[in-house]
């Protein structure tokens, strides 16, 4: 007997018919002789609908009340799925995140998991029950309900798999694995049989939406056997693991893009020690994540530098910088929002010189200017204007020999592209 954690996303439980399909899938797993712990997201667009309703009542709703509201979506899913499993003649119990033992830091909207005490989960398993856990949520030591941020149900599943010593953590979604790029954009995308934790973490951080970055971090840290597969078919999924065999001739494993990008430039700053520490220290104190940082040359004792952050945090970042002007004089602050970040990722890049140069050449041949560049051992990222995204991704996909003739699977049983 193996212990499985099975996570189903919003598209997999989007309506009652899909909920029934998921219930049958879980019962089939139990019939194979396995114990099952299931983590669910909110149904379909429930989370977005809740946000819209909140903002109709209050354009700037309190973070605590938003967490109270947002956790209800997953609780609806867990209850309905448990009912569907009972209808199939099996015993199931639904648990909220805090009932399942998730303890988080006291931060609303994007809390991190501090500890998991899965006593109720383990007790239910000992009683031969299927356990349904609401993803995306936890509770502080003081009893405050928190959420883990968008995509946090992936993190719930992987963290719970680590806490209970699960043999496998399966992430079910509307695609049947991890692809070389977004299969909705590139129809000839290649499905990967396996991918390393490091490559997947880079892709997730760079915009690939198939897995949440924190989930990959947990999987790597705790060596969780992670598989991404479709809830709509029985195709083999993609294994995320410590080490993978590098396919001959494949240097780049995947291409990711992120539309949630803004660039902020601070111009005419005194070129003295501590300036960058002051700026980025203030941004860090405000919990604003900064990605790419570029400083240009010094002229007349003044320097210019730019950095990228998410669109959602760009206005707040500008407020923080404006608040520094009395202590840190500068000539001007500018921002750009019509941008995207395109990235190539691959473990094979370490031993193959010229991969980044090829990327720059491909982008230039599309008539696109590169505004910022960031590199690491296994990735290169370029910030470009938004209007050229699709043609650049397709051109890069072809240039790195990732195109395939295989049929991509996206969505429900009849949705093939």
């Amino acid at each position: 007997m193996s212990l499985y954690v099975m996570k189903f996303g919003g598209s997999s439980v989007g309506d009652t018919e899909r909920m029934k399909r998921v219930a049958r899938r879980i019962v089939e797993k139990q019939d194979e002789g396995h114990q099952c712990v299931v983590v669910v997201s909110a149904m379909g667009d429930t989370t977005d609908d809740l946000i819209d309703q909140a903002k109709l009542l209050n354009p700037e709703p309190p973070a605590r009340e938003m967490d109270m509201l947002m956790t209800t979506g997953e609780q609806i899913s867990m209850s309905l799925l448990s009912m569907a499993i009972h209808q199939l003649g099996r015993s199931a119990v639904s648990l909220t995140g805090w009932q399942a033992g998730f303890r988080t830091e006291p931060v609303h909207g994007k809390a991190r998991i501090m500890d998991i005490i899965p006593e109720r989960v383990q007790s239910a398993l000992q009683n031969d029950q299927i356990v349904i856990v609401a993803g995306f949520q936890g509770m502080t030591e003081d009893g405050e309900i928190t959420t883990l941020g968008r995509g946090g149900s992936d993190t719930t599943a992987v963290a719970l798999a680590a806490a209970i010593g699960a043999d496998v953590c399966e992430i079910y979604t509307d695609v049947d694995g991890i692809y070389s790029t977004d299969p909705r954009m590139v129809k000839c995308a290649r499905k990967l049989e396996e991918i390393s934790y490091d490559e997947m973490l880079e892709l997730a951080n760079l915009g690939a939406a198939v897995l949440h970055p924190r989930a990959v971090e947990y999987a790597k840290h705790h060596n969780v056997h992670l598989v991404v597969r479709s809830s709509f078919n029985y195709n083999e999924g993609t294994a995320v693991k410590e080490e993978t065999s590098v396919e001959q001739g494949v240097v780049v494993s995947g291409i990711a893009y992120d539309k949630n990008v803004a660039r902020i430039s601070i111009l005419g700053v005194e070129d003295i020690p501590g300036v960058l520490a002051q700026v980025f220290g203030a941004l860090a104190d405000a919990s604003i994540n900064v990605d790419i940082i570029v400083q240009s040359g010094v002229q007349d004792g003044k320097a210019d530098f730019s950095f990228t952050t998410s669109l959602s945090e760009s206005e707040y970042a500008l407020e923080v910088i404006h608040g520094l002007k009395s202590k840190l004089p500068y000539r001007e602050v500018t921002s750009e929002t019509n941008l995207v970040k395109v990235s190539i990722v691959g473990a094979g890049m370490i031993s193959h010189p010229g991969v980044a140069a090829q990327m720059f050449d491909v982008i230039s041949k599309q008539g696109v200017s590169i505004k910022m560049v960031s590199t690491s051992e296994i990735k290169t990222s370029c910030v470009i204007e938004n209007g050229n995204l699709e043609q650049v991704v397709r051109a890069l996909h072809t240039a790195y020999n990732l195109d395939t003739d295989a049929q991509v699977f996206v969505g429900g049983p009849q949705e093939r592209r």
Side-chain angles (χ1 to χ4, degrees), residues 11-34:
S11 60
S12 299
V13 293
D15 54 41
T16 54
E17 287 305 311
R18 293 187 176 192
M19 194 79 73
K20 290 177 183 177
R21 183 187 300 115
V22 167
R24 291 194 295 270
R25 189 76 175 253
I26 296 164
V27 168
E28 287 170 3
K29 185 74 74 176
Q30 190 183 55
D31 284 343
E32 293 171 3
H34 306 300

Tab-separated table of all heavy atoms in Angstrom, residues 11-34:
chain	number	residue	atom	x	y	z
A	11	SER	N	-9.791	24.095	-12.333
A	11	SER	CA	-10.403	23.621	-13.575
A	11	SER	C	-10.852	22.168	-13.450
A	11	SER	O	-11.820	21.759	-14.089
A	11	SER	CB	-9.411	23.761	-14.733
A	11	SER	OG	-8.238	23.000	-14.496
A	12	SER	N	-10.192	21.397	-12.601
A	12	SER	CA	-10.538	19.984	-12.434
A	12	SER	C	-11.818	19.797	-11.634
A	12	SER	O	-12.506	18.782	-11.784
A	12	SER	CB	-9.390	19.243	-11.738
A	12	SER	OG	-8.211	19.309	-12.503
A	13	VAL	N	-12.143	20.761	-10.761
A	13	VAL	CA	-13.374	20.681	-9.956
A	13	VAL	C	-14.302	21.841	-10.292
A	13	VAL	O	-15.036	22.335	-9.448
A	13	VAL	CB	-13.042	20.662	-8.442
A	13	VAL	CG1	-12.314	19.384	-8.073
A	13	VAL	CG2	-12.206	21.882	-8.035
A	14	GLY	N	-14.273	22.272	-11.552
A	14	GLY	CA	-14.966	23.491	-11.959
A	14	GLY	C	-16.474	23.441	-11.913
A	14	GLY	O	-17.134	24.471	-11.850
A	15	ASP	N	-17.070	22.244	-11.976
A	15	ASP	CA	-18.522	22.107	-11.878
A	15	ASP	C	-18.829	20.725	-11.298
A	15	ASP	O	-17.931	19.937	-11.018
A	15	ASP	CB	-19.192	22.298	-13.248
A	15	ASP	CG	-18.619	21.379	-14.323
A	15	ASP	OD1	-18.360	20.186	-14.028
A	15	ASP	OD2	-18.425	21.839	-15.467
A	16	THR	N	-20.116	20.422	-11.105
A	16	THR	CA	-20.477	19.172	-10.441
A	16	THR	C	-20.096	17.945	-11.259
A	16	THR	O	-19.720	16.915	-10.690
A	16	THR	CB	-21.980	19.141	-10.129
A	16	THR	OG1	-22.730	19.398	-11.337
A	16	THR	CG2	-22.339	20.187	-9.080
A	17	GLU	N	-20.172	18.036	-12.593
A	17	GLU	CA	-19.778	16.884	-13.407
A	17	GLU	C	-18.291	16.608	-13.276
A	17	GLU	O	-17.853	15.459	-13.168
A	17	GLU	CB	-20.150	17.125	-14.879
A	17	GLU	CG	-21.647	17.032	-15.162
A	17	GLU	CD	-22.233	15.705	-14.697
A	17	GLU	OE1	-21.655	14.645	-15.027
A	17	GLU	OE2	-23.274	15.728	-14.013
A	18	ARG	N	-17.482	17.645	-13.271
A	18	ARG	CA	-16.044	17.461	-13.088
A	18	ARG	C	-15.748	16.978	-11.672
A	18	ARG	O	-14.830	16.180	-11.452
A	18	ARG	CB	-15.305	18.766	-13.387
A	18	ARG	CG	-15.384	19.163	-14.855
A	18	ARG	CD	-14.518	20.368	-15.172
A	18	ARG	NE	-14.552	20.654	-16.617
A	18	ARG	CZ	-13.742	21.488	-17.230
A	18	ARG	NH1	-12.818	22.135	-16.536
A	18	ARG	NH2	-13.835	21.700	-18.525
A	19	MET	N	-16.523	17.458	-10.716
A	19	MET	CA	-16.359	17.000	-9.342
A	19	MET	C	-16.614	15.491	-9.250
A	19	MET	O	-15.880	14.757	-8.577
A	19	MET	CB	-17.324	17.760	-8.431
A	19	MET	CG	-17.038	17.626	-6.960
A	19	MET	SD	-15.695	18.683	-6.375
A	19	MET	CE	-16.459	20.306	-6.399
A	20	LYS	N	-17.645	15.010	-9.948
A	20	LYS	CA	-17.943	13.574	-9.958
A	20	LYS	C	-16.799	12.789	-10.598
A	20	LYS	O	-16.440	11.698	-10.133
A	20	LYS	CB	-19.246	13.309	-10.732
A	20	LYS	CG	-20.506	13.797	-10.025
A	20	LYS	CD	-21.730	13.557	-10.902
A	20	LYS	CE	-23.001	14.086	-10.264
A	20	LYS	NZ	-24.176	13.906	-11.168
A	21	ARG	N	-16.226	13.336	-11.672
A	21	ARG	CA	-15.115	12.664	-12.344
A	21	ARG	C	-13.913	12.548	-11.397
A	21	ARG	O	-13.254	11.506	-11.326
A	21	ARG	CB	-14.713	13.419	-13.602
A	21	ARG	CG	-13.597	12.730	-14.401
A	21	ARG	CD	-13.086	13.560	-15.547
A	21	ARG	NE	-14.122	13.878	-16.518
A	21	ARG	CZ	-14.564	15.103	-16.767
A	21	ARG	NH1	-14.033	16.130	-16.123
A	21	ARG	NH2	-15.501	15.316	-17.655
A	22	VAL	N	-13.636	13.624	-10.663
A	22	VAL	CA	-12.537	13.612	-9.706
A	22	VAL	C	-12.802	12.588	-8.602
A	22	VAL	O	-11.907	11.835	-8.197
A	22	VAL	CB	-12.326	15.019	-9.107
A	22	VAL	CG1	-11.421	14.961	-7.885
A	22	VAL	CG2	-11.719	15.951	-10.152
A	23	ALA	N	-14.046	12.536	-8.112
A	23	ALA	CA	-14.402	11.566	-7.065
A	23	ALA	C	-14.152	10.140	-7.547
A	23	ALA	O	-13.602	9.307	-6.804
A	23	ALA	CB	-15.864	11.758	-6.661
A	24	ARG	N	-14.537	9.841	-8.783
A	24	ARG	CA	-14.297	8.495	-9.329
A	24	ARG	C	-12.804	8.216	-9.435
A	24	ARG	O	-12.349	7.097	-9.172
A	24	ARG	CB	-14.973	8.359	-10.699
A	24	ARG	CG	-16.493	8.335	-10.642
A	24	ARG	CD	-17.087	7.871	-11.957
A	24	ARG	NE	-16.819	8.805	-13.046
A	24	ARG	CZ	-17.611	9.819	-13.383
A	24	ARG	NH1	-18.749	10.041	-12.713
A	24	ARG	NH2	-17.302	10.609	-14.390
A	25	ARG	N	-12.039	9.228	-9.814
A	25	ARG	CA	-10.587	9.063	-9.952
A	25	ARG	C	-9.963	8.709	-8.595
A	25	ARG	O	-9.082	7.852	-8.498
A	25	ARG	CB	-9.998	10.370	-10.495
A	25	ARG	CG	-8.529	10.325	-10.902
A	25	ARG	CD	-8.376	9.604	-12.226
A	25	ARG	NE	-7.014	9.641	-12.722
A	25	ARG	CZ	-6.592	10.391	-13.759
A	25	ARG	NH1	-7.446	11.167	-14.412
A	25	ARG	NH2	-5.344	10.338	-14.158
A	26	ILE	N	-10.435	9.356	-7.559
A	26	ILE	CA	-9.904	9.101	-6.217
A	26	ILE	C	-10.277	7.694	-5.751
A	26	ILE	O	-9.445	6.962	-5.192
A	26	ILE	CB	-10.431	10.165	-5.234
A	26	ILE	CG1	-9.908	11.554	-5.633
A	26	ILE	CG2	-10.029	9.828	-3.804
A	26	ILE	CD1	-10.658	12.700	-4.984
A	27	VAL	N	-11.529	7.305	-5.981
A	27	VAL	CA	-11.980	5.969	-5.585
A	27	VAL	C	-11.200	4.891	-6.337
A	27	VAL	O	-10.842	3.838	-5.777
A	27	VAL	CB	-13.492	5.827	-5.813
A	27	VAL	CG1	-13.943	4.371	-5.696
A	27	VAL	CG2	-14.256	6.693	-4.811
A	28	GLU	N	-10.908	5.152	-7.621
A	28	GLU	CA	-10.100	4.201	-8.403
A	28	GLU	C	-8.721	4.031	-7.771
A	28	GLU	O	-8.186	2.916	-7.713
A	28	GLU	CB	-9.952	4.700	-9.846
A	28	GLU	CG	-11.218	4.582	-10.672
A	28	GLU	CD	-11.101	5.292	-12.004
A	28	GLU	OE1	-10.003	5.831	-12.300
A	28	GLU	OE2	-12.100	5.342	-12.741
A	29	LYS	N	-8.145	5.154	-7.296
A	29	LYS	CA	-6.836	5.074	-6.649
A	29	LYS	C	-6.918	4.230	-5.382
A	29	LYS	O	-6.025	3.411	-5.106
A	29	LYS	CB	-6.328	6.482	-6.331
A	29	LYS	CG	-4.922	6.539	-5.769
A	29	LYS	CD	-3.866	6.281	-6.820
A	29	LYS	CE	-3.707	7.483	-7.743
A	29	LYS	NZ	-2.607	7.272	-8.720
A	30	GLN	N	-7.984	4.418	-4.615
A	30	GLN	CA	-8.155	3.618	-3.403
A	30	GLN	C	-8.372	2.144	-3.744
A	30	GLN	O	-7.853	1.256	-3.061
A	30	GLN	CB	-9.339	4.151	-2.582
A	30	GLN	CG	-9.436	3.516	-1.193
A	30	GLN	CD	-10.638	3.990	-0.426
A	30	GLN	OE1	-11.771	3.891	-0.909
A	30	GLN	NE2	-10.420	4.498	0.780
A	31	ASP	N	-9.092	1.887	-4.836
A	31	ASP	CA	-9.325	0.507	-5.261
A	31	ASP	C	-8.029	-0.203	-5.653
A	31	ASP	O	-7.949	-1.437	-5.610
A	31	ASP	CB	-10.304	0.469	-6.444
A	31	ASP	CG	-11.741	0.710	-6.017
A	31	ASP	OD1	-12.023	0.587	-4.806
A	31	ASP	OD2	-12.581	1.027	-6.890
A	32	GLU	N	-7.029	0.577	-6.038
A	32	GLU	CA	-5.726	0.000	-6.374
A	32	GLU	C	-4.941	-0.375	-5.122
A	32	GLU	O	-3.842	-0.927	-5.207
A	32	GLU	CB	-4.919	0.987	-7.219
A	32	GLU	CG	-5.513	1.242	-8.602
A	32	GLU	CD	-4.823	2.389	-9.338
A	32	GLU	OE1	-3.836	2.944	-8.777
A	32	GLU	OE2	-5.259	2.748	-10.441
A	33	GLY	N	-5.522	-0.062	-3.953
A	33	GLY	CA	-4.883	-0.436	-2.698
A	33	GLY	C	-4.107	0.676	-2.038
A	33	GLY	O	-3.296	0.414	-1.150
A	34	HIS	N	-4.354	1.927	-2.435
A	34	HIS	CA	-3.591	3.052	-1.903
A	34	HIS	C	-4.416	3.875	-0.921
A	34	HIS	O	-5.642	3.948	-1.031
A	34	HIS	CB	-3.111	3.958	-3.033
A	34	HIS	CG	-2.338	3.239	-4.091
A	34	HIS	ND1	-1.164	2.566	-3.824
A	34	HIS	CD2	-2.567	3.077	-5.423
A	34	HIS	CE1	-0.703	2.017	-4.932
A	34	HIS	NE2	-1.537	2.313	-5.915
